Amino acid sequence: MGNSSATDDGGLLAGRGPESLGAGGGLGGAGLAALVGGVLLIGMVLAGNSLVCVSVASERTLQTPTNYFIVSLAAADLLLAVLVLPLFVYSEVQGGVWLLSPRLCDTLMAMDVLLCTASIFNLCAISVDRFVAVTVPLRYNQQGQCQLLLIAATWLLSAAVAAPVVCGLNDVPGRDPAVCCLEDRDYVVYSSVCSFFLPCPLMLLLYWATFRGLRRWEVARHTKLHSRAPRRPSGPGPPVSSSTQGPFFPDCPPPSPSLRTSPSDSSRPESDLCQRPCNPGCLLPDAALPQPSAPSSRRRVAKITGRERKAMRVLPVVVGAFLMCWTPFFVVHITRALCPACFVSPRLVSAVTWLGYVNSALNPIIYTVFNAEFRSVFRKTLRLRC
């Protein structure tokens, strides 16, 4: 959310000005480290998130509603690597001095706010999707295009949060052209609350409710399966008829092979056979037969639930990594806005900004480690590309 490195009177995401450049500017020690680290980070973000998008697009098993949100999250990280990180690294190499046009700085700030907010809103949308999938599974199965609409809403809301910067919010009198920053402190508080401090507690609350509903569903399913288990008679008795023979009327013995294969019986009309009590050839009507669709529907629901459980294993790790990477930045960010007199070390601001951007490279690694489906598809995709 900006390449800020020092507090000043004019800006919140303030870059280091010429007075603080010192010996670390240009391609000195700090500049060279920023250049090498930036190139490695951009390469990892591009490679990992491109692999996620290609894998989901080429493998049908990965084309699930949850993975559509993951592709949207990967797209935000890819745009960050293309539109934001190069300019951020360039500014860091220059020691925090902005040598380009102020208009380009405003575009950089707007894209930074947009893409960071889109990442958080996509994670929020995933939590909403998981909550609906676990608590209202039947309605979730009938949703259709709701996931795509939710993804579109996340990007529209993110654009609304970033729009004031594009509309000239940074055009303030006395602006320092050597510093690329967000100039309005009220907007810094507004964007931080909308982008992080409101959606993150909501996301955690939804995940708590989702895991609670999933636990209840598992207990209910376990109880239901045990109650439906057939009981075998403990004492001596006639053997239970095979399911292939079909259901018969109560107290009727199963048909003998000779009677069932008798030509005379097979030539009689079915109604005539059923007129005799306990006729072995008289089966229950079709309405009383067990419907074959019921087991298949149960298997389908169980399969979907199993996929949801697999998705639930990796998504909390993604959310946890995001919070660990971005919480320090937003805490420092809003502290500087609410307390202009508080001194914040430029090195701390630079470190938390780098940590936030590192999160864009972590998600593909998390998918590889914690999701077997992604891991196998990644291997297949890499073999095809090589």
Side-chain angles (χ1 to χ4, degrees):
M1 296 273 296
N3 53 337
S4 56
S5 299
T7 53
D8 64 329
D9 295 334
L12 276 301
L13 283 181
R16 290 185 291 272
E19 70 280 355
S20 62
L21 178 59
L27 284 179
L32 183 60
L35 178 62
V36 174
V39 171
L40 291 176
L41 179 61
I42 293 173
M44 290 178 62
V45 174
L46 289 176
N49 290 282
S50 299
L51 186 59
V52 171
C53 295
V54 171
S55 299
V56 175
S58 60
E59 189 68 28
R60 293 186 61 87
T61 58
L62 293 181
Q63 294 173 8
T64 62
T66 302
N67 289 343
Y68 294 153
F69 290 101
I70 290 178
V71 169
S72 180
L73 183 63
D77 291 334
L78 284 173
L79 290 175
L80 186 79
V82 173
L83 301 177
V84 175
L85 285 181
L87 293 176
F88 168 75
V89 173
Y90 170 78
S91 178
E92 287 290 297
V93 169
Q94 298 300 324
V97 179
W98 186 255
L99 302 178
L100 305 176
S101 68
R103 191 62 183 172
L104 184 59
C105 170
D106 295 344
T107 304
L108 171 63
M109 292 291 101
M111 294 303 300
D112 200 3
V113 174
L114 167 67
L115 297 175
C116 180
T117 306
S119 297
I120 300 175
F121 283 1
N122 272 295
L123 291 175
C124 248
I126 293 175
S127 66
V128 173
D129 180 74
R130 297 300 87 212
F131 177 77
V132 175
V134 172
T135 58
V136 199
L138 294 180
R139 183 177 299 178
Y140 176 82
N141 293 336
Q142 299 170 0
Q143 277 183 349
Q145 302 296 323
C146 288
Q147 286 83 9
L148 296 180
L149 293 177
L150 190 56
I151 291 173
T154 62
W155 284 93
L156 290 176
L157 290 174
S158 303
V161 174
V165 182
V166 181
C167 296
L169 183 70
N170 264 8
D171 294 334
V172 297
R175 176 180 179 180
D176 186 359
V179 175
C180 185
C181 63
L182 291 175
E183 303 286 345
D184 193 296
R185 298 182 185 276
D186 294 334
Y187 175 76
V188 171
V189 176
Y190 159 77
S191 62
S192 299
V193 170
C194 293
S195 301
F196 188 82
F197 291 105
L198 276 182
C200 285
L202 175 63
M203 178 172 53
L204 295 176
L205 180 62
L206 285 173
Y207 271 115
W208 173 80
T210 301
F211 278 106
R212 188 178 180 184
L214 187 61
R215 187 178 304 165
R216 288 179 177 177
W217 182 89
E218 296 241 354
V219 171
R221 180 173 178 267
H222 183 74
T223 306
K224 193 173 183 180
L225 289 177
H226 277 276
S227 64
R228 286 184 175 182
R231 297 181 179 178
R232 303 182 66 88
S234 57
V240 180
S241 60
S242 171
S243 60
T244 58
Q245 294 175 348
F248 300 95
F249 286 112
D251 302 328
C252 290
S256 63
S258 59
L259 288 177
R260 296 190 66 177
T261 57
S262 172
S264 60
D265 285 346
S266 62
S267 62
R268 294 179 185 177
E270 184 179 352
S271 59
D272 183 36
L273 290 174
C274 292
Q275 289 175 358
R276 295 181 295 168
C278 293
N279 192 323
C282 184
L283 301 177
L284 287 174
D286 291 341
L289 290 174
Q291 298 298 325
S293 59
S296 62
S297 64
R298 283 198 299 269
R299 284 194 299 268
R300 181 174 57 86
V301 173
K303 182 178 180 181
I304 292 177
T305 307
R307 187 182 298 122
E308 305 304 335
R309 286 200 300 258
K310 289 180 180 179
M312 289 299 296
R313 295 173 189 168
V314 64
L315 293 177
V317 183
V318 175
V319 174
F322 186 90
L323 293 178
M324 289 180 59
C325 290
W326 280 109
T327 299
F329 171 82
F330 277 98
V331 170
V332 172
H333 192 51
I334 201 168
T335 299
R336 300 177 67 207
L338 297 176
C339 182
C342 298
F343 174 75
V344 181
S345 170
R347 292 183 181 274
L348 175 62
V349 177
S350 181
V352 297
T353 306
W354 277 100
L355 179 62
Y357 289 144
V358 165
N359 177 254
S360 298
L362 289 181
N363 289 339
I365 300 175
I366 294 173
Y367 304 146
T368 305
V369 173
F370 291 93
N371 192 305
E373 290 184 353
F374 266 107
R375 188 163 58 246
S376 61
V377 175
F378 283 176
R379 291 172 181 170
K380 184 192 303 183
T381 305
L382 290 175
R383 289 195 207 101
L384 292 176
R385 296 298 180 270
C386 296

